[in-house]
Amino acid sequence: LQVKYRRAPPIPESSSMDLALSVLDPLFFDLAFEKLNFTSLPLAEDRSHVVRLFISIFTIVFVGGALLYFTCSGLSWFLIFDKSYLKHPKILPNQVQREILTTILSMPFMTILTVPIFIAELRGYSKLTDTWGSWSQEALTILKFLVFTDFCIYWIHRWLHHPWVYPTLHKTHHLWKVCTPWASHAFHPVDGFLQVWLLSTSERDSFLLSCLLTIEYRVYHTIFLSSSSP
């Protein structure tokens, strides 16, 4: 029996997840849903089904995020981080293990909160394009992205320190008085999502690759900040 796959009608915009699914659907997800679909939903045949999209995007974001975290934080740990900070009196017992555990436990929930944004992009609620504009246009877009996200992250961070919010959402991240690279993603899930949401929705009228590069820069920047000093 040959399975015929269906996807939603093409849309003029593009998205990072559309690019990922165009590669991973034929390589992995088509066969996985054909073999492992235990529901009556047409997940194997309909690539645009919202349940299939949710599972596929969750897998991509969670696995990709974990690989990015362990790779970049690991490189920073071995190549940049000054391990003399581990002797600092404010370092907690088993802090590195606790930072990694906090991240691993938070990432699935951060991913669940983020997946609807990518589904919205796939449904056409995005102005990312796969067409290069010009060097000046892309440079201006990247500059606007950095200024806008810096401005918003500052005020989000201020809000997270409000006495009504801090104990519930932000205190987890400040358990680490002396950060290591492994603390870069050790957030409460909602705290982490607020910044992921900002990065995922702030690009407009931008070449897809420019968007991906600026988001990757923000990830590396966050890890580097956790690697530098107490």
Side-chain angles (χ1 to χ4, degrees):
L1 177 64
Q2 185 177 8
V3 177
K4 295 183 178 180
Y5 303 105
R6 294 189 291 113
R7 187 182 285 281
I11 54 177
E13 293 82 12
S14 184
S15 76
S16 55
M17 200 52 62
D18 192 36
L19 177 63
L21 287 174
S22 67
V23 174
L24 292 175
D25 268 339
L27 287 179
F28 175 73
F29 288 120
D30 287 344
L31 181 61
F33 282 106
E34 185 178 346
K35 299 294 185 182
L36 302 176
N37 183 14
F38 301 109
T39 74
S40 59
L41 300 174
L43 302 184
E45 299 86 358
D46 187 0
R47 289 176 173 173
S48 64
H49 196 288
V50 67
V51 174
R52 168 164 173 162
L53 285 177
F54 193 96
I55 296 171
S56 300
I57 294 172
F58 177 90
T59 303
I60 293 170
V61 174
F62 179 75
V63 173
L67 289 174
L68 187 66
Y69 168 71
F70 282 106
T71 300
C72 296
S73 295
L75 288 173
S76 183
W77 170 262
F78 288 110
L79 301 178
I80 299 175
F81 181 65
D82 185 352
K83 295 183 179 58
S84 66
Y85 290 141
L86 297 176
K87 299 178 182 178
H88 194 283
K90 291 188 177 181
I91 282 282
L92 303 178
N94 302 315
Q95 178 170 314
V96 170
Q97 293 90 327
R98 292 169 66 180
E99 289 171 342
I100 294 173
L101 181 61
T102 300
T103 301
I104 292 174
L105 294 177
S106 294
M107 283 185 68
F109 299 99
M110 285 191 281
T111 305
I112 288 171
L113 293 171
T114 307
V115 166
I117 295 174
F118 288 112
I119 293 179
E121 288 184 353
L122 288 171
R123 298 299 193 194
Y125 296 95
S126 168
K127 292 188 178 180
L128 295 175
T129 72
D130 55 8
T131 303
W132 177 266
S134 66
W135 284 102
S136 58
Q137 178 184 345
E138 297 304 324
L140 180 61
T141 297
I142 292 173
L143 179 62
K144 289 191 296 183
F145 171 86
L146 295 176
V147 172
F148 176 74
T149 53
D150 265 355
F151 176 82
C152 292
I153 287 173
Y154 170 81
W155 286 107
I156 289 172
H157 199 192
R158 286 290 298 267
W159 176 76
L160 286 167
H161 278 264
H162 190 282
W164 292 355
V165 179
Y166 178 86
T168 303
L169 296 184
H170 199 51
K171 186 176 180 179
T172 299
H173 189 60
H174 282 285
L175 289 174
W176 335 112
K177 305 302 182 185
V178 179
C179 294
T180 78
W182 305 107
S184 59
H185 292 65
F187 296 97
H188 183 285
V190 175
D191 185 352
F193 166 73
L194 289 173
Q195 300 184 57
V196 171
W197 165 83
L198 179 65
L199 298 179
S200 301
T201 58
S202 57
E203 287 284 0
R204 288 294 179 267
D205 299 312
S206 174
F207 182 47
L208 176 60
L209 181 58
S210 299
C211 172
L212 294 176
L213 289 176
T214 47
I215 290 176
E216 291 302 310
Y217 164 78
R218 278 296 181 206
V219 173
Y220 300 144
H221 182 249
T222 300
I223 293 172
F224 181 76
L225 288 178
S226 299
S227 306
S228 55
S229 63

